[in-house]
Amino acid sequence: MGHRKDAPPCAEAPGSPAAPRRSDAQRNRERILEVALAELTRSADAPLSVIARKAGVGQGTFYRNFPSREALVLEIYRHEMRQVADSAAQLLSTREPDCALRAWMDGLARFAMAKAGLADAIRQATSGPGSPAKPGHTPVTDAAELLLRSCEEAGVIRPGVTADDLVLAIGGLWQLDPTEDWQPRAGRLLDLVMDGLRAGAPGR
């Protein structure tokens, strides 16, 4: 299936399905994760009591969701990784495959910055004896493969690119400083990678 030469530029597709209504418990959990990501990115030693207060939940609610700092840190990491992985199919359902891939790469950049900002907290959570292992990257790798194969079938990228190739190509994301204005540089880097993927595509 060839890519239409007159296809519109990558943009948000109209009529995307609305998110299902979440329960209060789910909203509390997601609010804790959102606040904890911001606070622990600023300081790996951010007090859990401060995170609970800024999330607007009581100590009991907080500890029912996350009984320890280690559990909180690793759930933030898993949550961010799941968000990136799950977005691949959603993007493919509303965009041209190459536009979906480019939008997904923006999400991967945000994940890279979250991981970099949480590096100290993750290290503390996984370094002690008996500490839980840091999650792997399989869901993200699987999502990358889904997007790349969809693009290849549509003829909009060069054939044969693997998820490992893509991760290596965008490895510079992990060198950016999450405390600085990283978005413009990340955008330029990802545009260069996307141009390289499109070069020589049979459908273009």
Side-chain angles (χ1 to χ4, degrees), residues 2-204:
H3 188 67
R4 298 192 314 272
K5 292 186 178 180
D6 59 346
C10 297
E12 191 73 38
S16 298
R21 181 173 296 177
R22 292 165 298 171
S23 67
D24 288 344
Q26 182 66 15
R27 280 194 296 270
N28 283 339
R29 185 178 179 84
E30 291 184 358
R31 178 62 181 157
I32 292 169
L33 289 170
E34 178 186 342
V35 171
L37 173 59
E39 293 299 312
L40 291 171
T41 295
R42 277 194 284 270
S43 170
D45 299 316
L48 299 185
S49 58
V50 170
I51 294 172
R53 177 171 53 78
K54 290 189 175 183
V57 301
Q59 294 288 319
T61 297
F62 183 93
Y63 283 105
R64 273 196 301 275
N65 281 282
F66 305 106
S68 67
R69 176 179 291 270
E70 290 79 10
L72 173 63
V73 169
L74 291 179
E75 183 54 28
I76 293 170
Y77 186 83
R78 292 188 190 99
H79 178 75
E80 294 296 306
M81 187 166 61
R82 279 197 304 270
Q83 294 285 93
V84 173
D86 292 349
S87 68
Q90 296 166 4
L91 288 165
L92 280 171
S93 71
T94 58
R95 306 180 187 215
E96 294 286 338
D98 54 338
C99 294
L101 175 59
R102 180 62 183 81
W104 184 82
M105 287 160 65
D106 283 332
L108 189 62
R110 290 189 293 273
F111 173 65
M113 291 302 95
K115 182 183 175 186
L118 281 172
D120 288 341
I122 292 170
R123 199 157 36 243
Q124 290 177 15
T126 58
S127 61
S131 297
K134 186 171 66 176
H137 293 91
T138 301
V140 173
T141 303
D142 290 346
E145 282 288 355
L146 172 65
L147 287 156
L148 288 168
R149 297 294 70 80
S150 296
C151 287
E152 188 172 327
E153 289 170 11
V156 294
I157 65 169
R158 63 174 64 201
V161 179
T162 68
D164 287 342
D165 294 335
L166 180 63
V167 170
L168 286 172
I170 61 178
L173 289 174
W174 277 263
Q175 305 302 316
L176 300 179
D177 187 341
T179 64
E180 295 181 352
D181 185 22
W182 56 267
Q183 289 94 337
R185 175 171 275 186
R188 291 193 299 273
L189 172 64
L190 295 180
D191 284 341
L192 285 170
V193 172
M194 201 69 219
D195 287 345
L197 290 171
R198 287 178 171 135
R204 295 189 67 81

